[in-house]
Amino acid sequence: MKARMNKSLAVVLSVITLDAMGFGLVMPVLPELLRGLVPDGQVTGHYGVLLAAYALMQVVFAPLLGRLSDRYGRRPVLIVSLAGAAVDYAIMAAAPVLWVIYIGRMIAGITGATGAVAASAIADTIPSNQRARWFGYMGACYGAGMIAGPAIGGLAGGFSVHAPFIAAAVLNGGSFLLACLFLKETRNASAEPENTSIWNFPKLLLPGSLLKGVTALALVFFIIQLVGQLPATLWVIYTEDRFAWDTTMVGFSLAAFGAVHAIFQAFITGPLSVRFGEHRTLIIGMVADACGFLALALITRSWMVLPVLLLLATGGVGMPALQAMLSGSVGENEQGSLQGTLTSLTNLSSIIGPLGFSAFYTFTATSWNGWVWIAGAGLYLISFAILRRSGCLVFCPSGADRRYMSQMRIVSHD
């Protein structure tokens, strides 16, 4: 049984990596594909709308996929999603008109919400005191896929603008075969969802008080994901403005950050959560990220970016710890609903964050282009206040983390 579960977890991590690669593959060539379908002056607008449409579909459908996986199992939902993604990318590879691209990106967003189901499979299989480590592995696999995907997509795009879409279809097809052959069902068949409606969002966002139970953690989750959009949105523009970096240097820095971030999530999160507990690991990550943002606002030389990258990578250990805390706060019959809602919140942040941060940077950069990083650090202060107000800001060893989350589970179900 243990060997079978280990094989299933390996398949889950492989699916996450390949799924991220498939998404990243098409990003470098999507503007070029649009140039063949619309006038040059409309490319940027359509590109932005396509990105937003993809994220919006995940906002809406990730909770649904999670709820479906609670009812029917992780394996069938994951297999159907991967098959749909493979077919969708194949159709997009031969898209003759613009509306097919739009339909394709929306379908890709719907079927691409597999991260929620994968996270649920991990929660099903891994004991609660080891979930932070495995959520760290999951984040590292996604990061590795997002590094490899654009690089491969850029190379494939040199042969044909349609080649990356074909490659994405092949990758999702490979994930489909892996899941069919080796993935075993992880959901406990006796853990039936409490609510029979698959459209209902989980109760975690609907308590009597905004700052009781798991809702506070979900709100902090959203804020941290929102803050994570800051470097993703403005790193290129900021480093060009502050340090006069060229495209090569920007690309190198992004690759370095992605690699270091993945390493920290894969190899540092687990030991930290075991030694200090998930609460302390979350605090370590939040403090490190906030310090990194403050440093970004103040540094004046290119070499100073390196220690800042280490701070930001250390900040990455907080999210897997928070995911483990959230996972431990609901019953096994609600893991899919929880993970679906978290995926929805993540994608909601990817819609709001780029729009808000880019507008704020445009407004403040004429006076000083460091204000946006100060604002990012300030959002962490809000998170600390929420945790303190809700009683979640406790410094306790790992064993006490378990008891505390058990108490939170009782509160969240009241």
Side-chain angles (χ1 to χ4, degrees), residues 35 151 170 177 179 192 274 311:
R35 289 188 183 97
V170 171
L177 291 176
E192 294 296 332
V274 170
L311 277 173

Side-chain angles (χ1 to χ4, degrees), residues 195-214:
N195 194 312
T196 57
S197 173
I198 60 175
W199 288 100
N200 278 353
F201 282 78
K203 292 185 296 183
L204 72 93
L205 294 182
L206 299 171
S209 171
L210 180 63
L211 294 179
K212 279 188 178 181
V214 71

Side-chain angles (χ1 to χ4, degrees), residues 58-59 61-64 66-67 116 200-205 218 221-222 334-348:
Q58 294 214 344
V59 169
F61 285 94
L64 175 60
R67 192 69 180 173
N200 278 353
F201 282 78
K203 292 185 296 183
L204 72 93
L205 294 182
F221 178 92
F222 173 74
E334 295 179 306
Q335 289 296 331
S337 295
L338 169 69
Q339 298 301 334
T341 299
L342 296 183
T343 301
S344 179
L345 292 175
T346 298
N347 285 279
L348 183 61

Side-chain angles (χ1 to χ4, degrees), residues 15 31 46 84 93 101 106 112 117 128 152 236 244 247 272 297 337 357 359 391:
V15 166
H46 282 290
I101 298 293
M106 288 190 288
V117 184
S128 56
I152 298 172
V236 175
T247 303
L272 277 180
S337 295
F357 289 131

Side-chain angles (χ1 to χ4, degrees), residues 269-292:
T269 301
L272 277 180
S273 63
V274 170
R275 182 175 179 82
F276 298 113
E278 292 156 2
H279 285 80
R280 286 182 175 179
T281 302
L282 171 60
I283 299 304
I284 290 170
M286 292 170 64
V287 170
D289 223 25
C291 290

Side-chain angles (χ1 to χ4, degrees), residues 16-303:
I16 291 170
T17 305
L18 294 175
D19 192 40
M21 287 179 65
F23 173 75
L25 271 167
V26 305
M27 300 313 295
V29 297
L30 190 54
E32 185 63 28
L33 183 65
L34 288 172
R35 289 188 183 97
L37 300 173
V38 299
D40 287 345
Q42 299 179 18
V43 168
T44 302
H46 282 290
Y47 182 73
V49 173
L50 284 168
L51 293 182
Y54 181 93
L56 182 61
M57 290 301 100
Q58 294 214 344
V59 169
V60 175
F61 285 94
L64 175 60
L65 288 185
R67 192 69 180 173
L68 285 170
S69 75
D70 280 339
R71 172 178 286 189
Y72 300 111
R74 319 300 182 202
R75 186 175 185 272
V77 174
L78 196 61
I79 286 175
V80 171
S81 296
L82 292 170
V87 173
D88 174 60
Y89 280 119
I91 293 174
M92 290 179 67
V97 290
L98 181 62
W99 67 266
V100 175
I101 298 293
Y102 271 96
I103 297 297
R105 290 311 290 166
M106 288 190 288
I107 294 175
I110 295 170
T111 59
T114 52
V117 184
S120 301
I122 289 176
D124 293 337
T125 310
I126 300 299
S128 56
N129 62 344
Q130 298 180 31
R131 286 178 191 167
R133 181 191 301 271
W134 281 87
F135 284 135
Y137 291 156
M138 191 175 80
C141 287
Y142 185 84
M146 287 302 294
I147 293 172
I152 298 172
L155 292 174
F159 296 97
S160 167
V161 71
H162 300 286
F165 290 90
I166 297 173
V170 171
L171 283 175
N172 278 277
S175 298
F176 169 78
L177 291 176
L178 275 177
C180 287
L181 294 174
F182 301 110
L183 180 64
K184 304 300 180 182
E185 181 55 57
T186 61
R187 183 181 67 92
N188 184 354
S190 63
E192 294 296 332
E194 293 181 5
N195 194 312
T196 57
S197 173
I198 60 175
W199 288 100
N200 278 353
F201 282 78
K203 292 185 296 183
L204 72 93
L205 294 182
L206 299 171
S209 171
L210 180 63
L211 294 179
K212 279 188 178 181
V214 71
T215 306
L217 293 180
L219 184 56
V220 170
F221 178 92
F222 173 74
I223 293 175
I224 294 178
Q225 291 287 14
L226 184 66
V227 174
Q229 296 298 319
L230 178 49
T233 302
L234 293 176
W235 185 267
V236 175
I237 296 174
Y238 175 76
T239 53
E240 289 176 349
D241 290 349
R242 178 67 67 94
F243 308 116
W245 282 2
D246 57 17
T247 303
T248 301
M249 191 63 186
V250 170
F252 176 78
S253 67
L254 287 173
F257 172 69
V260 176
H261 194 271
I263 290 171
F264 269 67
Q265 284 205 322
F267 301 109
I268 304 299
T269 301
L272 277 180
S273 63
V274 170
R275 182 175 179 82
F276 298 113
E278 292 156 2
H279 285 80
R280 286 182 175 179
T281 302
L282 171 60
I283 299 304
I284 290 170
M286 292 170 64
V287 170
D289 223 25
C291 290
F293 283 175
L294 292 174
L296 275 174
L298 300 174
I299 59 176
T300 56
R301 298 286 185 272
S302 291
W303 64 267

